[in-house]
């Protein structure tokens, strides 16, 4: 089964993926992080110059992610019989060719809380300049979320509240995914 965790930056997708793996109903779990599949050179992806003229990858645009590479990695993981969890802004777009059950989750969190989490993680913890993060958010990322991420909500099987504790969300997701899988199995038998 493929579990895809989609939602805005800072919504808690990676934290939920870790909680899902920790309480999985099977031993064979593989977690793939969408952040590991962004293009690294200006030949691929959407690049724009920053204020200093240095080209920067637009991680808010799905064309900047190697979705085909992530889909191939999901295929390889699914071929082993594992549960595969994919987290990332564009996890809903992952399309492995291996036959599998799939359950898509949209991690919902208000924009101000996502921004606060990004400030905590990138600026306070990692030392990224706050003024750059805020300028990027106001000039680009906020609109990119509405254009590229928010529309994915409608095609997900479940929307969860990103303010809830990760272990609570993990139980909620596993219950819903298991129920959906059982229902699909019943439909196929009919």
């Amino acid at each position: 089964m493929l579990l895809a965790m989609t939602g805005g930056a800072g919504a808690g997708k990676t934290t939920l993926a870790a909680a899902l793996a920790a309480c999985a109903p099977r031993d064979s779990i593989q977690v793939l992080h969408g952040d590991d599949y962004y293009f690294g050179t200006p030949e691929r992806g959407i690049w724009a110059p920053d204020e200093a003229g240095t080209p920067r990858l637009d991680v808010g645009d799905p064309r900047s992610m190697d979705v085909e590479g992530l889909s191939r990695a999901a295929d390889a993981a699914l071929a082993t019989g594992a549960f595969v969890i994919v987290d990332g802004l564009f996890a809903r777009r992952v399309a492995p060719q291996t036959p599998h059950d799939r359950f898509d989750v949209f991690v919902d969190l208000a924009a101000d809380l996502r921004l606060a989490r990004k400030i905590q993680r990138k600026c306070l913890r990692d030392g990224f300049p706050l003024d750059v993060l805020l300028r990027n958010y106001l000039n680009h990322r906020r609109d990119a979320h509405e254009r590229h991420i928010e529309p994915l909500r409608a095609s997900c099987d479940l929307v969860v509240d990103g303010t809830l504790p990760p272990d609570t969300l993990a139980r909620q997701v596993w219950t819903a995914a298991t129920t959906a899988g059982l229902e699909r199995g019943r439909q196929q038998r009919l």
Side-chain angles (χ1 to χ4, degrees), residues 85-128:
I85 300 168
V86 178
D87 76 82
L89 293 176
F90 308 109
R92 176 65 186 91
R93 294 175 177 254
V94 171
Q97 300 301 305
T98 302
H100 63 282
D101 285 331
R102 179 183 184 125
F103 195 77
D104 291 287
V105 178
F106 189 91
V107 183
D108 187 34
L109 191 67
D112 61 334
L113 297 176
R114 291 193 320 267
L115 180 58
R117 286 181 178 179
K118 284 200 62 123
I119 290 169
Q120 286 177 322
R121 182 178 65 223
K122 288 192 67 115
C123 300
L124 300 178
R125 186 189 75 198
D126 298 340
F128 191 82

Side-chain angles (χ1 to χ4, degrees), residues 19 32 35 51 57 85 97 104 111 116 131 133 140 156 166 189:
L32 302 172
D35 286 352
E51 292 172 352
L57 182 67
I85 300 168
Q97 300 301 305
D104 291 287
D131 62 325
L133 183 134
H140 180 70
C156 287
R189 287 190 298 275

Side-chain angles (χ1 to χ4, degrees), residues 49-52 115 119 123 128-143:
D50 64 14
E51 292 172 352
L115 180 58
I119 290 169
C123 300
F128 191 82
L130 177 61
D131 62 325
V132 173
L133 183 134
L134 291 174
R135 193 169 38 254
N136 187 34
Y137 175 79
L138 294 171
N139 294 335
H140 180 70
R141 291 302 296 271
R142 181 174 53 174
D143 293 334

